[in-house]
């Protein structure tokens, strides 16, 4: 009978550690062609996260990281600058195609999508994952006079 080799937990941890090192801007150990980008846009901030297809975070950025403060963080200009910052960090990975997942109601949502498109990325799909309440908030008590 032949020997069956089982991948141990330590080997898996080592490969995950290499991916984490690559995400922090160190030597890139693997190449990507497709990925997912999550754009979370609120009234106060815009956060963009880029992952591989399994969901492992490659890089992320927000308006606060770039030095925007206060109400300037939620502007379309800040969202464009975030995407430029992320595209600069993604140059070494070879990422060319993205699935976009958009969440929230802020002004930076559409600007971030446009910035990915003009930055040389091929957008495969855009999906809105904004949560919608099923039943809404509880109504106020009946007024007694």
């Amino acid at each position: 009978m032949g020997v069956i080799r089982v991948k141990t937990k330590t080997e898996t941890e080592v490969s995950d550690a290499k991916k984490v090192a690559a995400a922090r801007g160190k030597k890139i150990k693997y190449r990507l062609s497709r990925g997912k980008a999550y754009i979370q846009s609120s009234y106060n901030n815009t956060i963009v996260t880029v992952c591989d297809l399994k969901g492992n975070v490659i890089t992320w950025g927000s308006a606060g990281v770039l030095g925007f403060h206060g109400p300037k963080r939620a502007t379309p200009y800040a969202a464009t600058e975030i995407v430029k910052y992320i595209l600069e960090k993604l140059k070494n990975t070879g990422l060319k195609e993205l699935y976009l997942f958009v969440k929230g109601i802020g002004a930076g949502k559409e600007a971030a999508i446009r910035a990915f498109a003009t930055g040389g990325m091929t957008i495969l799909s855009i999906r809105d994952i904004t949560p919608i309440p099923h039943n809404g908030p509880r109504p106020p008590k009946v007024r007694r006079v």
Side-chain angles (χ1 to χ4, degrees):
M1 303 249 343
V3 176
I4 299 173
R5 186 171 187 275
V6 179
K7 193 172 186 181
T8 63
K9 188 175 181 180
T10 56
E11 291 174 353
T12 307
E13 289 172 355
V14 168
S15 65
D16 289 342
K18 287 180 182 178
K19 290 178 184 178
V20 169
R24 291 188 179 148
K26 297 177 182 168
K27 288 184 181 178
I28 302 299
K29 299 287 183 184
Y30 64 103
R31 308 289 284 168
L32 293 173
S33 60
R34 286 186 178 178
K36 296 179 184 179
Y38 292 89
I39 301 168
Q40 182 182 348
S41 180
S42 69
Y43 287 125
N44 297 320
N45 202 357
T46 303
I47 302 169
V48 179
T49 307
V50 178
C51 306
D52 61 7
L53 293 178
K54 292 180 182 177
N56 300 317
V57 175
I58 299 166
T59 187
W60 65 277
S62 70
V65 169
L66 295 179
F68 291 97
H69 292 291
K72 296 183 193 84
R73 294 193 310 184
T75 60
Y77 175 71
T80 306
E81 293 298 312
I82 294 165
V83 173
K84 286 180 186 175
Y85 169 74
I86 287 175
L87 290 174
E88 188 69 32
K89 288 171 76 173
L90 287 176
K91 277 187 179 176
N92 296 334
T93 62
L95 192 66
K96 292 293 177 193
E97 298 175 335
L98 282 176
Y99 296 99
L100 292 182
F101 295 92
V102 182
K103 183 177 186 179
I105 50 176
K109 180 167 61 171
E110 291 180 19
I113 294 170
R114 282 195 193 101
F116 271 121
T118 58
M121 290 287 173
T122 304
I123 298 174
L124 300 174
S125 70
I126 301 171
R127 191 165 179 200
D128 193 350
I129 56 170
T130 305
I132 300 170
H134 295 285
N135 204 10
R138 183 175 175 172
K141 311 195 282 192
V142 178
R143 187 168 172 248
R144 290 182 291 208
V145 182

